[in-house]
Amino acid sequence: MEQQKLWNAVDEFFEEKLVPERSKVFGGTEQCREWNMPDMNVSALQGKFLQLLVRMNRASRVLEIGTFFGYSSIWMGMGLPENGIIKTIDFKDDFVPEARENIAKAGLADKIEVIFGDAGDILQEMVAEGEQPFDLVFMDADKPRYAEFLELILKLSKPGTVIITDNVVREGEIVNKETHLRGVHGVWRYLDALVKTDRLESTAMQTVGVKGYDGMIISYVK
Ligand code: DHB
Ligand code: MG
């Protein structure tokens, strides 16, 4: 697709100029190719965007739902202060050791804890055990369960917590009422939940680039 080629070229243009550190972030496109997996990572520019959000919010406690190979975890980890931590959850037992290895290679093993398990169960445990609230949450796992996760995330939040939710546009399928994509149905339910709570102020950002046409919802806990 012509458009996609242009988006790729523009991503490459900015990456080369603004994100030379991309070579130190492991677990990206190459590893997906190696594993014959769809490239479910954020792009380098988006990873850097997440990192800047961590910095701008002075976030020291970050929660990530969906680790995959640790790519976005590493981007965010590079923005943490000295005492900062990330807890990142994934339920795929073949991803978790790879993610831990990538994180260690990036020198972030002492800051990023990869938790193996079902995100719903882990979040529930965190709530039950009185986990301190997180400053920033990146939600990027099982899209049909976004609304369920939100309820738990809100219990692990405080005023000022920022929640970033990935893959909310899906090539525009979000406005196709006939879509069969389960992830899009999940985002609709997520939006219903977002709108129902009066604790959040939110916006959506459409994105194009090497990942095609997609977007993120950004929410602020009041
Ligand atoms: C898919 C998942 C993601 O989180 C993403 O950013 C892109 C694609 C997927 O499941 O295909
Ligand atoms: Mg994603």
Side-chain angles (χ1 to χ4, degrees):
M1 187 172 79
E2 232 10 69
Q3 245 181 351
Q4 183 61 58
K5 271 194 197 148
L6 181 61
W7 298 341
N8 292 351
V10 172
D11 259 17
E12 179 59 28
F13 172 80
F14 283 117
E15 271 185 36
E16 214 172 42
K17 293 218 180 303
L18 304 177
V19 194
E21 70 274 34
R22 63 184 169 169
S23 59
K24 287 182 287 189
V25 184
F26 309 101
T29 306
E30 255 165 50
Q31 190 158 9
C32 296
R33 212 172 287 141
E34 230 170 80
W35 280 62
N36 207 18
M37 292 285 307
D39 190 349
M40 300 189 288
N41 286 310
V42 295
S43 68
L45 290 176
Q46 290 169 338
K48 183 79 177 263
F49 172 71
L50 292 171
Q51 178 188 114
L52 292 178
L53 284 178
V54 169
R55 286 186 197 276
M56 287 187 282
N57 290 290
R58 314 268 193 276
S60 64
R61 291 179 49 78
V62 174
L63 171 67
E64 181 180 56
I65 305 173
T67 312
F68 198 31
F69 293 130
Y71 187 75
S72 47
S73 329
I74 294 170
W75 274 114
M76 292 191 288
M78 290 162 77
L80 285 174
E82 200 56 51
N83 62 346
I85 57 112
I86 296 178
K87 295 196 179 193
T88 180
I89 307 168
D90 210 293
F91 78 116
K92 284 277 179 69
D93 56 1
D94 43 356
F95 297 162
V96 167
E98 292 293 314
R100 287 187 180 133
E101 199 179 313
N102 289 329
I103 288 163
K105 270 204 298 189
L108 289 164
D110 55 339
K111 288 186 166 173
I112 303 177
E113 180 189 357
V114 184
I115 303 171
F116 168 60
D118 177 90
D121 294 345
I122 304 284
L123 295 176
Q124 239 150 19
E125 269 168 40
M126 285 181 176
V127 171
E129 285 165 14
E131 177 87 24
Q132 292 299 299
F134 292 94
D135 304 307
L136 187 139
V137 181
F138 181 48
M139 174 143 69
D140 194 21
D142 198 2
K143 321 309 176 199
R145 292 177 69 193
Y146 272 1
E148 174 197 339
F149 296 152
L150 178 67
E151 198 175 313
L152 295 162
I153 289 168
L154 282 172
K155 292 182 179 165
L156 296 164
S157 297
K158 57 173 176 45
T161 297
V162 172
I163 306 168
I164 319 294
T165 309
D166 199 23
N167 308 115
V168 303
V169 174
R170 308 264 68 184
E171 311 285 337
E173 279 298 295
I174 189 69
V175 294
N176 176 8
K177 292 194 175 70
E178 260 94 62
T179 191
H180 294 296
L181 290 181
R182 288 174 63 242
V184 171
H185 285 258
V187 174
W188 289 341
R189 289 193 297 275
Y190 181 67
L191 279 164
D192 287 343
L194 266 188
V195 172
K196 250 184 228 140
T197 171
D198 56 4
R199 285 187 64 197
L200 294 173
E201 207 57 73
S202 304
T203 191
M205 202 169 60
Q206 303 190 60
T207 56
V208 295
V210 291
K211 302 293 155 169
Y213 170 35
D214 213 328
M216 296 182 184
I217 289 175
I218 299 171
S219 301
Y220 181 81
V221 179
K222 292 188 280 186

